[in-house]
Amino acid sequence: MFAAGAIMDRMTTVPLTAPPGDDTADPAEAVSTERAGEPAGTPVGIVELSERVVASVLARCPWLIRASAILLAVLTLVCLVAIGTRLSPLPVIPIPLFAAGFYFLRRLRAAEIRTHRLRWALLTAVATMVGFWLIAVVARWVS
């Protein structure tokens, strides 16, 4: 068995600050985390963090907008095929949401400001998800 005191004797302490008069740090190595135009110490909120995430995802995955457009086209096609197979006009209900999602996606592609990118990305996602959910609801109604 080891005693806590024995372990503490073996540990060394490292001071967090340099002693007074020890000027060994090179000021040229200091890295500023401030962005131009922002006051020092500005806290990062959830909205700014979300804007940064959307901007970085769109920058890293330029194919994502095209894939989203293809997804919206496929979902619309599924609704149109369902009209013929179910012999009911109810599968048309989600199509306006997919059209709105496509419109929001086009606005997202043209957006240059991070706040606009976040807004259009959220609207595209919500319209697509609600439309996809409506496909399931309509399938229950018809069957």
Side-chain angles (χ1 to χ4, degrees):
M1 288 263 158
F2 289 106
I7 294 173
M8 293 302 286
D9 290 339
R10 293 184 199 160
M11 295 176 64
T12 60
T13 59
V14 178
L16 295 177
T17 59
D22 185 17
D23 297 327
T24 58
D26 185 12
E29 292 178 6
V31 177
S32 175
T33 59
E34 299 173 11
R35 291 184 4 199
E38 285 187 2
T42 303
V44 177
I46 189 73
V47 174
E48 185 172 335
L49 181 63
S50 301
E51 291 170 359
R52 288 181 182 181
V53 167
V54 168
S56 68
V57 166
L58 290 175
R60 289 182 185 167
C61 305
W63 50 268
L64 192 60
I65 293 178
R66 178 168 289 180
S68 299
I70 291 171
L71 173 74
L72 287 170
V74 167
L75 290 173
T76 304
L77 184 65
V78 166
C79 290
L80 293 174
V81 169
I83 293 171
T85 58
R86 301 277 185 170
L87 298 174
S88 171
L90 286 178
V92 174
I93 294 173
I95 291 178
L97 285 167
F98 296 142
F102 187 73
Y103 171 74
F104 297 147
L105 191 63
R106 299 297 277 180
R107 296 293 302 255
L108 173 63
R109 182 181 296 185
E112 305 235 350
I113 302 172
R114 280 195 312 197
T115 55
H116 293 165
R117 286 182 182 168
L118 176 64
R119 177 187 311 148
W120 296 121
L122 283 175
L123 286 172
T124 301
V126 167
T128 304
M129 287 188 292
V130 171
F132 191 71
W133 174 76
L134 274 176
I135 288 176
V137 170
V138 167
R140 270 192 179 171
W141 287 345
V142 174
S143 63

